[in-house]
Amino acid sequence: MAEAHGGGPAGGGELIPPWLVRGLELARSRLRGDAPVDEFGFDRELTETVLAAPLRPLVEHWFRVDVRGLEHVPGTGGALVAANHSGTLPVDALVTQVVLLDRHPAHRPLRLLAGDLVFELPLLGSLARRSGATLARREDAERLLAHGELVGVFPEGYKGLGKPWAERYQLRRFGRGGFVASALRTGRPIVPCAIVGAEEIYPMIADAAPLARLLGLPYFPVTPTFPWLGPLGLVPLPSKWLIEFLPAVQTAGYGPEAADDPGLVAELTARVRDAVAESLARLLDERGPAFG
C-alpha cells in the first residue's frame, strides 16, 4: 500500500514498517471506539500486531533467545507461569510474553501481573492494559485463571528486578506465596520458568536511593552506561538469553480450601522456587559467557 512506502521510489523498499502502518490504522479505529477489548482492557490484535513488533528483533537477533520446555505450558485453560525477575527494567516480562505469543504452538497471550507503579504512569499504564497486564492482586489473578487465561507472575517483585550486579542470579524470596494460593483456589497448574540473560542487560552497580525516594521509585539504577550516556544508556546490552519452562506443579487435587493452609502454600512456593533455582544453575553453566 502506498502509505507504507512513505512517498519513496517505486520498488525502493518500505520506509515505514508494516506494523507501524497497521498500528496507525488500529489507533484510528480505537479512537472511533472500535476496540475489541476484554474486561481488563486487553486488545489482542493491537498486542500481536503493534506492541509486540518492536520487541521481536530484540528477542530474535539482539538477545538470541533460546527457549526450552514449551510443552510444559498448556495449550488451553488457565495456568500460572512463575518466573525469576531481574534486569533493572522489566524486559524479562516482555520477552517472555513475546516468546509465548510467537513460539508456543497455541500462540498464547501471557497476562502479566504488574505492580501499581506501572499503572500510575499515564502512557505506560494504558499500553500495559492493552497488552493484557493487570494489577498484581489476588482478585484479578483468580478471575483471569478461572477464565482460562495464561497468567504471568514474577514473585520476587521489585526486590528481584532491582538486584545489584554483585548479587546476580541469587533468587530473592518468592513473596508470601500469594500466587500459589490463587492457583490453589482455582485449581490451575503453576509452571515454573527460569530466565537467564536478563541480569546482564543493565548491570546495576549502584542505587541512587535519595533520587529514587524523590521520584517515588523503588530504586534508581546506576549502570556502566546510565545515566552517563543519557538516552543511549537505556539500550540494553546484547546478552545471550535462555528461557526454560519447567514441568507444572499441579494444584487441582488439593481443593480451593487448601489455599488457607499456610504450611501447604509455603511448601508449594518452595517447590516452585527450588525448581527455578536448579534450572538457573544448569542454564548458566550451559550458556557460559553472557556475551559469547
Side-chain angles (χ1 to χ4, degrees):
M1 54 195 295
E3 297 94 318
H5 293 276
E14 295 181 342
L15 298 181
I16 302 177
W19 65 265
L20 184 53
V21 175
R22 181 58 181 150
L24 294 173
E25 294 172 352
L26 289 174
R28 285 195 293 268
S29 73
R30 293 336 183 231
L31 288 173
R32 293 194 303 266
D34 305 332
V37 300
D38 69 7
E39 61 183 295
F40 293 94
F42 175 45
D43 187 330
R44 178 159 185 164
E45 184 181 9
L46 185 72
T47 298
E48 291 181 343
T49 308
V50 180
L51 301 182
L55 294 168
R56 288 183 173 118
L58 283 178
V59 171
E60 301 297 333
H61 307 298
W62 193 249
F63 298 140
R64 299 152 290 149
V65 180
D66 182 4
V67 183
R68 292 95 182 272
L70 283 170
E71 68 275 10
H72 298 306
V73 180
T76 59
L80 193 64
V81 174
N84 59 300
H85 211 11
S86 65
T88 304
L89 294 178
V91 178
D92 52 1
L94 301 178
V95 167
T96 305
Q97 195 173 37
V98 171
V99 159
L100 287 165
L101 195 59
D102 288 355
R103 300 194 192 178
H104 191 279
H107 303 289
R108 299 208 65 180
L110 183 66
R111 310 297 297 271
L112 296 170
L113 301 180
D116 293 359
L117 178 61
V118 171
F119 301 101
E120 291 169 1
L121 302 173
L123 179 59
L124 182 59
S126 177
L127 291 176
R129 287 281 184 196
R130 293 288 183 169
S131 73
T134 189
L135 284 169
R137 62 184 185 186
R138 192 191 86 184
E139 295 82 4
D140 285 7
E142 291 176 14
R143 265 172 40 207
L144 286 168
L145 288 170
H147 290 168
E149 299 288 349
L150 188 64
V151 178
V153 62
F154 292 80
E156 294 172 280
Y158 290 122
K159 290 184 179 179
L161 192 61
K163 286 196 300 285
W165 173 247
E167 298 175 17
R168 59 194 179 278
Y169 294 111
Q170 297 177 30
L171 290 182
R172 294 292 193 259
R173 182 183 176 209
F174 268 31
R176 298 188 178 93
F179 70 99
V180 169
S182 291
L184 286 167
R185 286 192 188 93
T186 55
R188 307 304 188 189
I190 304 168
V191 180
C193 175
I195 303 171
V196 162
E199 296 273 15
E200 292 89 5
I201 61 173
Y202 299 114
M204 195 166 92
I205 55 178
D207 174 13
L211 187 54
R213 287 193 294 270
L214 181 65
L215 297 174
L217 300 173
Y219 52 85
F220 189 91
V222 177
T223 78
T225 60
F226 182 82
W228 326 113
L229 299 183
L232 282 176
L234 295 175
V235 176
L237 297 178
S239 57
K240 169 64 180 171
W241 285 42
L242 302 175
I243 298 178
E244 183 171 45
F245 298 96
L246 302 161
V249 174
Q250 301 296 334
T251 66
Y254 293 103
E257 66 282 354
D260 299 320
D261 180 346
L264 178 63
V265 169
E267 177 191 334
L268 294 180
T269 302
R271 190 186 304 178
V272 172
R273 186 182 183 280
D274 289 348
V276 173
E278 290 170 9
S279 178
L280 286 176
R282 176 168 39 80
L283 294 177
L284 279 169
D285 185 61
E286 177 182 337
R287 183 191 65 170
F291 303 103

